[in-house]
Amino acid sequence: KMNTDLGQHILKNPGVAQAIVDKAGLKQSDIVLEVGPGTGNLTVKILEKARKVIAVEMDPRMAAELTKRVQGKPEQKKLEVLLGDVCKTELPYFDVCISNTPYQISSPLVFKLLALSPAPRTCVLMFQREFAMRLVARPGDALYCRLSVNAQMWAKCTHIMKVGKNNFKPPPQVESSVVRLEIKNPRPQISYDEWDGLLRIVFVRKNKTIAAGFKSSAVMGMVEKNYRTWCATTGVPLDDGDVDIDMAAGGDDIGDDEEMEIDEDGVGVVKKVVIKRGSKKNRGKVADLVKSKVEKVLSETELGEKRAGKCDEADFLKLLYELNKEGIHFS
Ligand code: SAM
């Protein structure tokens, strides 16, 4: 019996299975990672084309069925089955990833693959149609979101084919699509936390201006806290010479903690930050300083009046670079 909690929708159309494997452009020397092999409909086709398949499967019954399917055949030696949750598995080296992915792990799987070093040559992955369209959405598209910008920062993302629900047994609720991810090599040399921290802010309301995103007191509180940390670690005086701050008023004796939540539209989590503010006297001034730095960058780059939903990677990179130069950080 199928366990649909584990997203067990077996691909029953051999033509689709073959097309997925063909799109991966496998070489006889390749090691392939397959996530969620199930009963092995894709696995047997991959085994024909590759040197080795490492299949990560969470359901022991499925793993046993797959093992049985190749037992006594020449392919048996080429298949290694790892039992467990792919999200918690330390992945060995592989050249290509192929997966008819359980949809509930789409986002963690993508981010796990994007973070791999060395990066695989290519990944061919089945997703729920909407998730697939988010991965490939471009500025101005309705589905363009933080996920799109993040994925496209680290990989070239291409929609390969649509797969209707009747190609699966049992059919899922939603339509599916196959996507190819070609991870950029060399990897862009930016901090993921800084990049994603900025995107979380500007994509809270992707159809509002970026300047509006920075008007939120929760956001500015976080930016101010990070600025204080940055000053402390780099030795830059908090007042930066621009604003007169009366440090004689004492240190962090106020203990004024504040909790913040940044929510966002796309897939992901809610982030909580506790803000500890400094002395009564300098806290308003540091807040003003940080605010003026942000405003200066937003106006000089002319990005303040743009909407995140219309900006591309180059815009966000420019914004992050200029803000970082001013000591404004997001992690
Ligand atoms: N690849 C097979 C096919 O195309 O017919 C099965 C695909 S089915 C949509 C997803 C498979 O992933 C199931 O076999 C399920 O048990 C497995 N699975 C679910 N969550 C998993 C996880 N976190 N790690 C590894 N495998 C998982």
Side-chain angles (χ1 to χ4, degrees):
K1 187 170 167 300
M2 294 290 161
N3 181 346
T4 42
D5 288 350
L6 286 180
Q8 286 175 347
H9 301 280
I10 299 302
L11 190 55
K12 64 170 191 196
N13 182 336
V16 174
Q18 192 60 55
I20 290 172
V21 176
D22 290 347
K23 293 292 182 185
L26 294 179
K27 302 181 195 163
Q28 282 296 344
S29 56
D30 280 337
I31 300 176
V32 177
L33 174 79
E34 188 189 356
V35 179
T39 55
N41 291 348
L42 279 166
T43 323
V44 292
K45 296 194 185 306
I46 304 167
L47 282 165
E48 283 172 19
K49 303 271 165 150
R51 172 157 64 105
K52 186 178 174 187
V53 177
I54 302 163
V56 184
E57 172 57 60
M58 197 160 155
D59 184 339
R61 296 168 310 160
M62 288 287 185
E65 192 165 334
L66 173 60
T67 306
K68 216 171 88 194
R69 191 162 174 178
V70 297
Q71 210 150 43
K73 301 207 174 113
E75 300 86 67
Q76 186 180 358
K77 290 194 296 295
K78 294 172 51 178
L79 176 65
E80 183 183 337
V81 180
L82 301 180
L83 189 60
D85 179 348
V86 69
C87 302
K88 296 179 186 149
T89 304
E90 199 186 315
L91 299 176
Y93 175 86
F94 60 92
D95 301 290
V96 172
C97 177
I98 297 178
S99 176
N100 173 9
T101 308
Y103 295 150
Q104 54 272 47
I105 63 159
S106 299
S107 199
L109 178 64
V110 165
F111 285 101
K112 184 160 185 152
L113 293 171
L114 293 177
L116 283 174
S117 184
R121 185 173 77 242
T122 184
C123 304
V124 176
L125 312 165
M126 177 98 72
F127 291 120
Q128 175 173 343
R129 176 88 38 87
E130 178 167 323
F131 187 87
M133 298 323 275
R134 283 181 186 271
L135 281 175
V136 303
R138 294 298 299 159
D141 292 350
L143 289 175
Y144 187 63
C145 63
R146 187 169 69 88
L147 174 70
S148 327
V149 190
N150 259 332
Q152 292 170 36
M153 182 66 199
W154 313 99
K156 186 176 161 215
C157 308
T158 334
H159 185 276
I160 293 184
M161 61 177 164
K162 295 182 172 180
V163 182
K165 46 176 104 160
N166 291 324
N167 293 292
F168 300 90
K169 192 183 168 189
Q173 302 274 324
V174 292
E175 303 293 345
S176 301
S177 275
V178 178
V179 170
R180 181 191 289 121
L181 303 183
E182 290 159 287
I183 300 171
K184 292 179 189 171
N185 192 9
R187 182 179 296 282
Q189 290 301 309
I190 59 161
S191 148
Y192 176 78
D193 289 340
E194 281 289 309
W195 172 253
D196 190 53
L198 172 64
L199 294 184
R200 279 173 190 275
I201 293 169
V202 299
F203 274 99
V204 168
R205 297 270 178 276
K206 69 174 179 184
N207 295 322
K208 291 237 170 91
T209 63
I210 290 178
F214 278 97
K215 290 228 164 68
S216 141
S217 60
V219 167
M220 290 312 289
M222 175 193 71
V223 168
E224 180 189 339
K225 172 189 167 270
N226 290 344
Y227 182 71
R228 287 172 181 276
T229 308
W230 180 78
C231 287
T233 49
T234 55
V236 171
L238 251 188
D239 64 5
D240 206 17
D242 291 342
V243 182
D244 175 29
I245 294 174
D246 183 4
M247 294 302 284
D252 290 47
D253 55 351
I254 301 296
D256 178 9
D257 291 2
E258 185 180 304
E259 281 219 338
M260 175 185 72
E261 288 187 16
I262 300 177
D263 213 332
E264 36 100 23
D265 60 334
V267 200
V269 294
V270 173
K271 197 173 181 177
K272 279 204 174 166
V273 176
V274 176
I275 302 161
K276 282 215 164 123
R277 288 177 169 177
S279 75
K280 218 177 230 163
K281 278 210 171 162
N282 79 21
R283 83 175 171 205
K285 291 189 177 171
V286 176
D288 288 347
L289 170 62
V290 166
K291 188 162 164 261
S292 73
K293 282 173 174 290
V294 169
E295 281 168 359
K296 176 171 157 244
V297 169
L298 291 180
S299 85
E300 282 176 6
T301 57
E302 295 178 7
L303 288 167
E305 293 315 304
K306 277 190 86 173
R307 285 145 221 283
K310 298 265 158 69
C311 292
D312 62 13
E313 295 108 90
D315 292 327
F316 297 122
L317 266 179
K318 166 123 186 107
L319 185 57
L320 182 60
Y321 177 77
E322 296 298 334
L323 287 166
N324 280 176
K325 244 176 35 188
E326 292 290 332
I328 303 300
H329 289 271
F330 303 96
S331 65

